[in-house]
Amino acid sequence: MHLPTKKTIQLLALSSIILMTIACSSSKSEFSKKDVVRSQKLLGLDFDKKYIDTLYPYLKRNKEGFDSLRKYTLDNDVFPAIQFNPLPLNFSPKPQAGFPDWEIPENVKLPSKEADLAFYTIPQLASLIKDKEISSLKLTEFFIARLKKYNPILQCTITITEEMAFEQAKKMDQELANGQYRGILHGIPYGVKDLMAVEGYKTTWGAEPYRDQQIEMTATVIEKLQNAGAVLVAKLVSGSLARGDVWFDGKTKNPWDTEQGATGSSAGSGSATSAGLVPFALGTETLGSITSPSTRNGITGLRPTYGRVSRQGVMSLSWSMDKVGPMARSAEDCAIVYSVITGKDPKDGTTTDYPDGFEPNKDYKSLRVAYLKKDIEKDTSLSKPNLEKALETFKKMGITLNEVELPEDVPYSSFDVILRAEAGAFFDDLVRSRNVDKMVEQDQRSRANSLRQARFIPAVEYLQANRHRQVLIEKMEDIMKNYDILISPTFGNRQLIITNLTGHPVIAIPTGLDKEKHPTSITLVGNLYDEASILLLAKAFQDNTEFDEMHPKGYTD
């Protein structure tokens, strides 16, 4: 077997980028050898003329292959044959105990002030429904009324699924009257990020070119919640094509400060949950889209291990990085929702059947915990005082904190080529049709500009970045194999990009308000396929603090 020479690799890289450049134009467009020469500059190459002469007819022939690919339509749910595997070499998932029979408290009563019902936890709402203190229909009407009242302020909702919600709520009430109880989510309303398809309703992806799109199927995660008895009341804002908090009709606001955006891209899920417009919501994350809005809006967000939760029926941004997870008031609420949506899905080849679970009554002091001391010391954000107080709380809880550092000798700046290349492939038709020009944001940091850039990423660089990604996976495993949990700042360090690339689960939990009265958070990182440990410590922290019980003023009128 002959390994390719450096010269051959350079030729392949140049070939890739020229073909991509050509692909953006009409199939009838001609290009010259001068175009080949100019394209070298982007890659820092300078081939002799004789190599250009050899390469030129090769590119012309291969353009025919590119053109033939476009004659065949690819459905949104078609994943590449090459799929990402987050497992380090010789890795064995930690045994899990399964999920508990969730405890539903007794004697929960309706609040004297009805609006306070908006901030009840899932177990509290479950108690009210199970004991018939309130019907699912009444609770659904209550949350839909709140969505209609506060959406003009927060701009967090794209579609209220009113007809479906009332039908589902009535069914849950009838089943309960007949002695049928589906479990803790029976009759409880919720919302989903509008990247998830729901049959009979628009799925806009938050973007102008898709504002009237209707995908006649229902995402697996929504089907699982429906089977558990939950009632879908709203499709909440996704930042345009999973970017930021700006969508085709506005900018989603932070309920704590409506002069501030909710951040994205699960902006609607974060804003609506924070303001008590839904008890919980589903979001997605590729590079911060659950953790960021959870932090900004002062709620708890769980991003599960890559492959834990099905993405069937969910828009793809990056096949090898996208994750679906719950956003709720507390770690316990997240655990309840996660227990329903997790698991192998025959329709999503990236999902797994590794052991799963959560033990809420396990002794959390048995957890091996590390923290990023240097990252915390270097933090200059307004959240640092609360970060340091959170560490003191963990120590008072009896947790021993061990100092560790994240891998450094890795080319982090190159990893965005993975996300952008995969997004470019999924949205190829959008770019080639120039419908990408219709998107609201068109500046340098916009999704539209990012998708155009993707056309100039050579296949060689994409594969090289994934090879470096494998090195990063092994380096991260060398750290995590000694611990159950790693405590990190949510922002301001490399944690966010590392864990999204390696697929590790994280949970962002509120730590109070900064001096400007904006919510802050801390992030707990777990081992692959061990959501149980981070959920356990997060719940213990919230049992010892009141930050998860805080909510923005002005939403209990």
Side-chain angles (χ1 to χ4, degrees):
M1 178 179 178
H2 296 288
L3 294 174
T5 64
K6 183 176 180 180
K7 179 75 74 176
T8 302
I9 292 174
Q10 289 176 328
L11 283 167
L12 286 170
L14 178 63
S15 177
S16 297
I17 199 163
I18 293 173
L19 285 173
M20 290 178 195
T21 305
I22 297 166
C24 291
S25 59
S26 165
S27 60
K28 295 180 181 180
S29 298
E30 293 295 333
F31 74 104
S32 67
K33 293 179 183 179
K34 289 183 178 179
D35 295 322
V36 180
V37 173
R38 294 189 190 101
S39 296
Q40 292 183 98
K41 294 180 180 180
L42 187 59
L43 294 178
L45 301 176
D46 186 19
F47 293 138
D48 291 341
K49 183 179 181 300
K50 62 181 179 180
Y51 294 122
I52 300 295
D53 291 341
T54 303
L55 184 63
Y56 177 64
Y58 179 90
L59 292 174
K60 292 187 70 174
R61 287 195 303 271
N62 275 277
K63 184 176 181 297
E64 296 176 5
F66 277 86
D67 290 339
S68 69
L69 285 175
R70 299 186 195 101
K71 294 178 181 178
Y72 299 88
T73 301
L74 287 170
D75 293 334
N76 291 335
D77 59 354
V78 177
F79 278 56
I82 301 173
Q83 293 183 356
F84 171 63
N85 181 355
L87 295 183
L89 296 173
N90 304 313
F91 177 83
S92 295
K94 182 179 178 181
Q96 302 291 333
F99 292 100
D101 292 327
W102 299 104
E103 293 183 11
I104 299 176
E106 297 179 355
N107 301 317
V108 175
K109 299 299 180 182
L110 289 167
S112 57
K113 184 180 180 181
E114 186 185 48
D116 290 338
L117 183 63
F119 298 98
Y120 273 33
T121 65
I122 289 175
Q124 288 173 323
L125 293 175
S127 177
L128 292 175
I129 288 176
K130 189 175 183 182
D131 292 344
K132 299 179 183 177
E133 292 284 336
I134 192 172
S135 67
S136 176
L137 180 59
K138 177 68 175 176
L139 192 62
T140 298
E141 290 172 341
F142 169 77
F143 280 109
I144 287 179
R146 287 182 63 79
L147 284 161
K148 290 179 177 179
K149 178 178 180 179
Y150 293 110
N151 187 58
I153 300 170
L154 298 175
Q155 299 181 51
C156 60
T157 305
I158 293 181
T159 303
I160 296 177
T161 55
E162 191 165 355
E163 183 178 353
M164 171 188 285
F166 289 156
E167 181 180 335
Q168 291 177 336
K170 290 175 183 176
K171 182 179 180 181
M172 291 304 100
D173 287 336
Q174 187 60 54
E175 286 186 3
L176 190 60
N178 294 336
Q180 297 173 260
Y181 186 66
R182 299 195 185 198
I184 195 167
L185 291 182
H186 187 114
I188 295 181
Y190 72 101
V192 298
K193 184 177 183 177
D194 197 31
L195 300 188
M196 304 176 194
V198 177
E199 188 172 4
Y201 289 90
K202 293 178 181 179
T203 302
T204 71
W205 299 344
E208 178 63 34
Y210 301 100
R211 70 182 301 158
D212 295 319
Q213 174 178 249
Q214 192 156 317
I215 302 173
E216 291 307 327
M217 63 176 295
T218 297
T220 294
V221 286
I222 297 175
E223 289 183 340
K224 286 187 171 186
L225 287 169
Q226 287 175 338
N227 291 337
V231 176
L232 179 64
V233 294
K235 303 197 74 184
L236 304 167
V237 166
S238 166
S240 190
L241 301 186
R243 178 75 166 245
D245 48 23
V246 174
W247 54 295
F248 58 80
D249 262 350
K251 181 182 180 74
T252 302
K253 304 300 192 300
N254 173 13
W256 293 86
D257 178 2
T258 55
E259 296 297 312
Q260 191 179 62
T263 79
S265 63
S266 303
S269 297
S271 179
T273 303
S274 174
L277 312 190
V278 289
F280 71 90
L282 296 186
T284 68
E285 175 157 324
T286 307
L287 196 58
S289 293
I290 288 175
T291 53
S292 181
S294 293
T295 299
R296 174 65 63 86
N297 298 279
I299 62 172
T300 302
L302 172 67
R303 187 193 79 211
T305 304
Y306 176 88
R308 273 296 203 193
V309 178
S310 173
R311 291 174 290 159
Q312 187 268 347
V314 183
M315 187 203 89
S316 294
L317 182 64
S318 170
W319 290 289
S320 70
M321 293 176 69
D322 295 339
K323 283 82 62 178
V324 177
M327 301 168 69
R329 312 214 189 292
S330 67
E332 183 178 39
D333 282 5
C334 283
I336 291 168
V337 178
Y338 171 69
S339 72
V340 172
I341 63 175
T342 185
K344 179 75 175 176
D345 179 11
K347 298 176 183 178
D348 180 350
T350 69
T351 54
T352 66
D353 55 4
Y354 292 128
D356 206 350
F358 173 55
E359 298 175 88
N361 298 317
K362 182 179 177 180
D363 181 10
Y364 65 83
K365 294 179 183 177
S366 65
L367 295 169
R368 302 168 301 164
V369 182
Y371 78 117
L372 299 175
K373 180 181 179 181
K374 287 187 178 180
D375 289 40
I376 293 170
E377 288 177 344
K378 291 187 294 184
D379 192 316
T380 58
S381 70
L382 295 178
S383 65
K384 184 175 183 178
N386 288 345
L387 185 59
E388 293 174 332
K389 290 176 184 177
L391 292 178
E392 289 303 314
T393 299
F394 283 122
K395 291 176 183 177
K396 290 177 182 177
M397 290 165 54
I399 298 293
T400 299
L401 301 178
N402 301 277
E403 300 174 22
V404 297
E405 293 182 39
L406 292 172
E408 291 186 358
D409 53 340
V410 179
Y412 292 105
S413 61
S414 67
F415 283 126
D416 69 335
V417 304
I418 296 174
L419 190 160
R420 288 191 290 119
E422 293 181 9
F426 186 84
F427 290 107
D428 182 39
D429 290 342
L430 179 69
V431 173
R432 289 176 52 76
S433 67
R434 297 197 174 181
N435 283 329
V436 70
D437 300 349
K438 299 176 183 178
M439 292 176 66
V440 173
E441 290 188 303
Q442 295 288 338
D443 59 31
Q444 195 170 49
R445 294 181 60 82
S446 68
R447 177 67 71 207
N449 192 45
S450 177
L451 293 174
R452 296 187 191 100
Q453 293 174 47
R455 266 300 183 177
F456 296 89
I457 299 172
V460 172
E461 265 60 47
Y462 171 76
L463 291 172
Q464 295 290 52
N466 273 290
R467 293 176 69 197
H468 284 293
R469 185 182 193 178
Q470 186 62 45
V471 173
L472 178 61
I473 287 171
E474 301 299 336
K475 288 180 179 291
M476 194 64 177
E477 172 61 10
D478 285 343
I479 296 171
M480 294 301 297
K481 67 184 179 183
N482 300 311
Y483 302 101
D484 299 305
I485 293 171
L486 175 62
I487 299 176
S488 169
T490 299
F491 305 117
N493 62 348
R494 296 185 299 274
Q495 176 271 129
L496 199 60
I497 188 170
I498 289 174
T499 58
N500 271 292
L501 283 163
T502 59
H504 284 80
V506 306
I507 188 166
I509 53 177
T511 53
L513 303 178
D514 64 24
K515 65 181 182 180
E516 295 183 353
K517 305 302 180 184
H518 293 150
T520 60
S521 78
I522 196 169
T523 290
L524 309 182
V525 180
N527 276 289
L528 295 168
Y529 308 104
D530 184 22
E531 286 75 9
S533 291
I534 57 176
L535 284 167
L536 178 62
L537 187 58
K539 181 181 182 301
F541 179 84
Q542 292 180 338
D543 287 344
N544 283 272
T545 61
E546 297 180 347
F547 305 128
D548 58 305
E549 298 172 27
M550 298 171 61
H551 53 261
K553 296 178 181 179
Y555 297 90
T556 54
D557 298 334

